[in-house]
Amino acid sequence: MATFRNPIISGFYPDPSICRVNNEYYLVTSSFEYFPGVPIFHSRDLVNWRQIGYVLDRESQLNLDGTPNSRGIYAPTIRYHNGVFYMITTFVESASGARKNFYVTAENPEGPWSDPIWLDDYPGIDPSLFFDEDGRAYVTGNRKPPRGQDYPKHNEIWLQEIDLEKKKLVGPKYSLWEGALKNAHAQEASHLYKINEMYYLMIAEGGTGFTHSVTIARSEYITGPYIGAKTNPILTHRHLGKAYPITNVGHADIVNTQNGEWWMVCLASRPYGGYFRNLGRETFLVPMSWEDGWPVINPGKGIVELEGLRPNLKDSKWPTKPACDHFESSTLQMQWNFIRTPRGNFWSLHERPGYLRLFLKEETIMEESNPSFIGRRQQHVNFAARTKMEFIPSNNFEVAGVVLLQSKDYQFRVEYSIGKLSLIKRENGIDQILAGHLFEGETVYLKIEVYEQSYNFYYAKFPEEWIALCTNVNGRILSTDVAGGFVGTFIGMYASSNGKKSSNYADFDYFEYTPIE
């Protein structure tokens, strides 16, 4: 029988939420401090997905100025009702600051989506929308229990009606459920469903790390009481140990296909080289069925697998995308992101047609700023990336090159400045020069080849005449298990004048990213 491979969306695409509209499926994921925000994907078979855009792609929708690493846009939910798509999410402003919840709408999932509709008195994170059969709409979220917390990170799930015409919450808040697992902190990621006249509340417990899990409760009434399944958690991998190839499974959403099958999407990670997760949290697919009114995840196995039987849907592949971006279009391709909302005209596809021009900014990638950086996700354990750069530095402050980025404090930078190429490892906010080679010229070719945790850096003055800058560099600092936070590794192009004013620029002829089998 036909099978599929997990993850269905590889690389840093966590917190998936899914909805079906007739025979079409749409999925969104978290984006944190990266812009545009909330990538949206389309599929017809739940296995083959293509990105069709971003929900938050305008400055008026998303101001990420000053947002720290691993803050920003958390856990979106996508729903469809009466011809309108809704995406509701949390904007985490700072490490300890406000959590603000809002939603946007669109008639076409490719956009344009509306500007944010901010909801007052909406505590917590991971909001979700539910449309009941009587036409009323509700939101759920998490918060500290009104009576107080019994232990650290103790939360409850709450419910309130929302008036979509008046665009505000109405009526009382109802406490629904504090989860199934004793002292299993961080009850979050709530989704509400009505199936066979029962209301089901599915949540995540145990935090988004190794002890992540999915639990579920049900009630005859939307406001409760909710009774948890005796089989909780209905999905977790924490009992499999850290050597299992898929870990920290949780934060799920479910969908019923037009053929009557039920499937779950969830986040998980693929550690390698030890318990290190450079790819971040990815999107996985797992089958489910119903027994005695409760869901059974991957019947007979109960876990997420790297390979499984395909959904009973016609195979619907999308055309493959080129591995190399030659920057010949009038707009950036969808894989490219900025760090925070892009401010100023620091990049151009028009100044020199066929090239991406990055103007040097005073801001650096070692700050919580908007540096002159354009990057894409690392999506494979083994991969190669290369680019051709033309750059004439005018002083020692001006640098340009490529970056492997986990955060402002954990990264590798290959920088070209006057007379030299340098590989810089930044760990815990401290720079260390791992290699420095003399180099003169306007054009330099740069290549990175990665084999699990072995990162290898090369340069050339002429095509394919590669010289090793530094090889077998330990890449584990790019894992969240070293760097902390919630994001995965990005790789991209960078230019900076390191705090000095400059009108200089670097031109990139192409950027190629290819998996290595």
Side-chain angles (χ1 to χ4, degrees):
M1 298 182 69
T3 62
F4 75 97
R5 294 282 300 175
N6 265 318
I8 53 171
I9 305 177
S10 61
F12 159 53
Y13 292 104
D15 308 322
S17 176
I18 191 170
C19 72
R20 176 172 69 88
V21 182
N22 299 319
N23 297 339
E24 314 292 327
Y25 297 86
Y26 300 96
L27 183 149
V28 294
T29 68
S30 296
S31 51
F32 293 86
E33 71 266 29
Y34 288 96
F35 187 97
V38 187
I40 181 166
F41 299 86
H42 174 217
S43 177
R44 295 194 174 109
D45 61 5
L46 292 176
V47 171
N48 297 289
W49 293 86
R50 62 165 181 165
Q51 188 174 352
I52 58 174
Y54 292 89
V55 176
L56 307 174
D57 59 4
R58 304 188 304 275
E59 293 181 12
S60 63
Q61 294 173 302
L62 185 58
N63 179 2
L64 291 165
D65 294 353
T67 300
N69 292 120
S70 289
R71 300 300 187 263
I73 297 297
Y74 278 27
T77 295
I78 188 170
R79 295 293 182 256
Y80 178 80
H81 181 68
N82 286 348
V84 178
F85 289 89
Y86 296 80
M87 189 284 299
I88 188 168
T89 189
T90 302
F91 177 44
V92 181
E93 289 189 319
S94 67
S96 60
R99 275 76 169 141
K100 298 168 136 183
N101 291 286
F102 69 90
Y103 71 94
V104 292
T105 63
E107 295 182 3
N108 184 336
E110 296 184 26
W113 290 75
S114 71
D115 279 345
I117 300 161
W118 298 94
L119 296 170
D120 295 330
D121 191 24
Y122 200 136
I125 60 171
D126 301 1
S128 188
L129 268 169
F130 172 73
F131 298 92
D132 210 346
E133 296 167 348
D134 60 5
R136 298 168 76 178
Y138 298 85
V139 297
T140 61
N142 73 348
R143 65 178 180 181
K144 297 177 182 178
R147 71 173 189 280
Q149 291 180 308
D150 296 336
Y151 49 87
K153 297 185 180 180
H154 173 205
N155 294 322
E156 69 166 18
I157 306 301
W158 59 271
L159 170 93
Q160 189 171 6
E161 188 173 355
I162 182 171
D163 187 323
L164 293 172
E165 289 189 3
K166 296 181 179 179
K167 301 178 180 179
K168 66 178 185 178
L169 304 184
V170 295
K173 284 183 173 61
Y174 296 91
S175 297
L176 297 188
W177 197 40
E178 295 183 17
L181 310 175
K182 185 176 181 181
N183 294 345
H185 64 283
Q187 295 86 346
E188 58 193 20
S190 57
H191 292 307
L192 192 62
Y193 316 92
K194 190 173 187 182
I195 302 167
N196 294 330
E197 302 305 313
M198 294 290 288
Y199 294 94
Y200 288 85
L201 179 64
M202 190 171 70
I203 72 169
E205 298 185 49
T208 196
F210 178 71
T211 56
H212 214 17
S213 66
V214 181
T215 60
I216 197 165
R218 71 182 185 187
S219 173
E220 294 182 43
Y221 309 99
I222 193 167
T223 56
Y226 282 82
I227 306 300
K230 293 182 179 179
T231 53
N232 278 322
I234 58 172
L235 180 63
T236 189
H237 278 200
R238 59 188 176 212
H239 61 295
L240 300 177
K242 291 186 176 182
Y244 192 75
I246 304 173
T247 65
N248 57 270
V249 171
H251 200 117
D253 201 1
I254 61 176
V255 67
N256 185 19
T257 74
Q258 62 268 34
N259 294 327
E261 290 183 333
W262 286 89
W263 288 83
M264 172 184 282
V265 292
C266 61
L267 69 75
S269 295
R270 293 178 291 162
Y272 55 94
Y275 194 72
F276 298 97
R277 297 168 294 164
N278 300 43
L279 295 171
R281 299 167 302 156
E282 309 174 280
T283 291
F284 289 71
L285 180 70
V286 60
M288 61 176 282
S289 63
W290 294 86
E291 289 184 5
D292 303 322
W294 293 104
V296 177
I297 309 304
N298 199 0
K301 299 177 180 179
I303 58 175
V304 181
E305 299 176 285
L306 288 173
E307 186 171 0
L309 295 179
R310 293 176 58 92
N312 181 25
L313 296 169
K314 183 180 178 181
D315 186 20
S316 183
K317 292 183 173 63
W318 304 108
T320 58
K321 292 194 172 183
C324 189
D325 188 346
H326 291 278
F327 302 119
E328 293 174 344
S329 64
S330 59
T331 58
L332 282 174
Q333 301 297 313
M334 288 184 191
Q335 69 267 31
W336 298 113
N337 281 191
F338 303 99
I339 304 173
R340 304 177 185 87
T341 308
R343 303 299 186 189
N345 298 319
F346 65 86
W347 65 277
S348 174
L349 293 168
H350 309 290
E351 295 266 350
R352 186 181 179 187
Y355 288 77
L356 170 66
R357 176 163 291 181
L358 282 184
F359 290 92
L360 278 62
K361 295 183 72 174
E362 296 179 48
E363 292 85 352
T364 76
I365 206 163
M366 296 83 78
E367 307 164 338
E368 288 175 351
S369 62
N370 170 230
S372 184
F373 170 86
I374 293 179
R376 54 153 297 150
R377 289 160 172 82
Q378 177 185 337
Q379 293 185 274
H380 302 85
V381 174
N382 305 314
F383 74 95
R386 64 176 71 192
T387 188
K388 173 187 174 185
M389 182 180 74
E390 297 182 18
F391 175 51
I392 307 173
S394 60
N395 58 58
N396 290 325
F397 295 102
E398 296 183 345
V399 298
V402 295
V403 178
L404 282 157
L405 177 71
Q406 170 58 224
S407 71
K408 71 179 182 65
D409 292 328
Y410 291 85
Q411 58 192 239
F412 292 104
R413 306 192 306 275
V414 179
E415 295 183 346
Y416 176 40
S417 59
I418 289 181
K420 64 179 179 180
L421 271 168
S422 302
L423 172 63
I424 302 164
K425 171 187 174 181
R426 185 171 177 83
E427 182 177 5
N428 198 27
I430 299 173
D431 281 356
Q432 177 188 359
I433 298 176
L434 298 185
H437 287 203
L438 298 177
F439 186 89
E440 297 284 353
E442 298 180 9
T443 300
V444 60
Y445 297 83
L446 300 172
K447 180 171 71 167
I448 302 170
E449 288 189 354
V450 174
Y451 300 90
E452 294 198 1
Q453 297 296 353
S454 175
Y455 285 67
N456 303 276
F457 300 85
Y458 303 90
Y459 69 96
K461 194 164 189 175
F462 304 102
E464 301 306 316
E465 296 184 6
W466 298 109
I467 300 169
L469 179 60
C470 197
T471 60
N472 197 28
V473 176
N474 186 339
R476 289 171 176 82
I477 66 162
L478 299 175
S479 166
T480 56
D481 306 282
V482 175
F486 304 118
V487 302
T489 302
F490 267 69
I491 179 172
M493 298 152 286
Y494 170 63
S496 177
S497 54
N498 287 294
K500 308 295 182 180
K501 291 193 177 297
S502 173
S503 59
N504 206 353
Y505 55 82
D507 286 341
F508 294 86
D509 188 13
Y510 60 83
F511 193 99
E512 181 183 88
Y513 175 97
T514 53
I516 299 175
E517 299 298 333

